[in-house]
mmCIF file of all heavy atoms in Angstrom:
data_model
loop_
_atom_site.group_PDB
_atom_site.id
_atom_site.type_symbol
_atom_site.label_atom_id
_atom_site.label_comp_id
_atom_site.label_asym_id
_atom_site.label_seq_id
_atom_site.Cartn_x
_atom_site.Cartn_y
_atom_site.Cartn_z
ATOM 1 N N LYS A 809 3.503 45.367 -8.652
ATOM 2 C CA LYS A 809 3.445 46.651 -7.955
ATOM 3 C C LYS A 809 4.099 47.766 -8.801
ATOM 4 O O LYS A 809 5.017 47.456 -9.588
ATOM 5 C CB LYS A 809 3.914 46.670 -6.590
ATOM 6 C CG LYS A 809 3.029 45.786 -5.652
ATOM 7 C CD LYS A 809 3.519 45.855 -4.263
ATOM 8 C CE LYS A 809 2.618 44.959 -3.330
ATOM 9 N NZ LYS A 809 1.194 45.397 -3.356
ATOM 10 N N TYR A 960 7.278 45.459 -10.076
ATOM 11 C CA TYR A 960 8.046 44.660 -9.141
ATOM 12 C C TYR A 960 7.151 43.866 -8.176
ATOM 13 O O TYR A 960 5.935 44.154 -8.041
ATOM 14 C CB TYR A 960 9.019 45.566 -8.402
ATOM 15 C CG TYR A 960 8.365 46.350 -7.239
ATOM 16 C CD1 TYR A 960 8.538 46.013 -5.916
ATOM 17 C CD2 TYR A 960 7.696 47.545 -7.533
ATOM 18 C CE1 TYR A 960 7.904 46.693 -4.885
ATOM 19 C CE2 TYR A 960 7.070 48.275 -6.511
ATOM 20 C CZ TYR A 960 7.200 47.841 -5.174
ATOM 21 O OH TYR A 960 6.663 48.607 -4.140
ATOM 22 N N LEU A 961 7.838 43.014 -7.461
ATOM 23 C CA LEU A 961 7.214 42.148 -6.388
ATOM 24 C C LEU A 961 8.088 42.360 -5.208
ATOM 25 O O LEU A 961 9.268 41.986 -5.206
ATOM 26 C CB LEU A 961 7.113 40.657 -6.779
ATOM 27 C CG LEU A 961 6.191 40.424 -7.977
ATOM 28 C CD1 LEU A 961 6.484 38.947 -8.511
ATOM 29 C CD2 LEU A 961 4.662 40.536 -7.592
ATOM 30 N N PRO A 962 7.585 42.800 -4.013
ATOM 31 C CA PRO A 962 8.396 43.051 -2.845
ATOM 32 C C PRO A 962 8.841 41.724 -2.166
ATOM 33 O O PRO A 962 8.195 40.699 -2.253
ATOM 34 C CB PRO A 962 7.517 43.847 -1.941
ATOM 35 C CG PRO A 962 6.124 43.463 -2.321
ATOM 36 C CD PRO A 962 6.190 43.244 -3.752
ATOM 37 N N ALA A 963 9.998 41.756 -1.647
ATOM 38 C CA ALA A 963 10.560 40.574 -0.872
ATOM 39 C C ALA A 963 9.553 40.284 0.259
ATOM 40 O O ALA A 963 8.926 41.164 0.840
ATOM 41 C CB ALA A 963 11.924 40.920 -0.347
ATOM 42 N N CYS A 964 9.502 38.986 0.669
ATOM 43 C CA CYS A 964 8.605 38.624 1.694
ATOM 44 C C CYS A 964 9.009 39.221 3.048
ATOM 45 O O CYS A 964 8.184 39.409 3.918
ATOM 46 C CB CYS A 964 8.383 37.215 1.744
ATOM 47 S SG CYS A 964 9.845 36.188 2.028
ATOM 48 N N ARG A 969 13.736 44.117 1.276
ATOM 49 C CA ARG A 969 12.875 44.715 0.235
ATOM 50 C C ARG A 969 13.590 45.759 -0.584
ATOM 51 O O ARG A 969 13.134 46.172 -1.604
ATOM 52 C CB ARG A 969 11.625 45.310 0.906
ATOM 53 C CG ARG A 969 10.678 44.210 1.268
ATOM 54 C CD ARG A 969 9.379 44.668 1.854
ATOM 55 N NE ARG A 969 8.550 43.575 2.278
ATOM 56 C CZ ARG A 969 7.423 43.703 3.038
ATOM 57 N NH1 ARG A 969 7.070 44.892 3.395
ATOM 58 N NH2 ARG A 969 6.805 42.575 3.287
ATOM 59 N N ASN A 1015 9.271 35.499 -2.095
ATOM 60 C CA ASN A 1015 10.533 35.790 -2.652
ATOM 61 C C ASN A 1015 11.561 36.340 -1.599
ATOM 62 O O ASN A 1015 11.164 37.289 -0.863
ATOM 63 C CB ASN A 1015 10.436 36.787 -3.828
ATOM 64 C CG ASN A 1015 9.465 36.172 -4.861
ATOM 65 O OD1 ASN A 1015 9.699 35.105 -5.363
ATOM 66 N ND2 ASN A 1015 8.446 36.951 -5.234
ATOM 67 N N TYR A 1017 14.196 38.115 -2.166
ATOM 68 C CA TYR A 1017 14.564 39.515 -2.562
ATOM 69 C C TYR A 1017 13.426 40.097 -3.394
ATOM 70 O O TYR A 1017 12.674 39.430 -3.940
ATOM 71 C CB TYR A 1017 15.866 39.595 -3.404
ATOM 72 C CG TYR A 1017 17.061 39.000 -2.538
ATOM 73 C CD1 TYR A 1017 17.633 37.825 -3.007
ATOM 74 C CD2 TYR A 1017 17.597 39.668 -1.459
ATOM 75 C CE1 TYR A 1017 18.713 37.267 -2.283
ATOM 76 C CE2 TYR A 1017 18.647 39.116 -0.754
ATOM 77 C CZ TYR A 1017 19.205 37.896 -1.182
ATOM 78 O OH TYR A 1017 20.223 37.433 -0.502
ATOM 79 N N SER A 1018 13.336 41.390 -3.521
ATOM 80 C CA SER A 1018 12.405 41.988 -4.358
ATOM 81 C C SER A 1018 12.755 41.693 -5.833
ATOM 82 O O SER A 1018 13.884 41.749 -6.242
ATOM 83 C CB SER A 1018 12.310 43.522 -4.176
ATOM 84 O OG SER A 1018 11.897 43.903 -2.850
#
Side-chain angles (χ1 to χ4, degrees):
K809 296 187 178 297
Y960 79 101
L961 297 163
C964 60
R969 287 182 182 168
N1015 302 307
Y1017 302 109
S1018 292

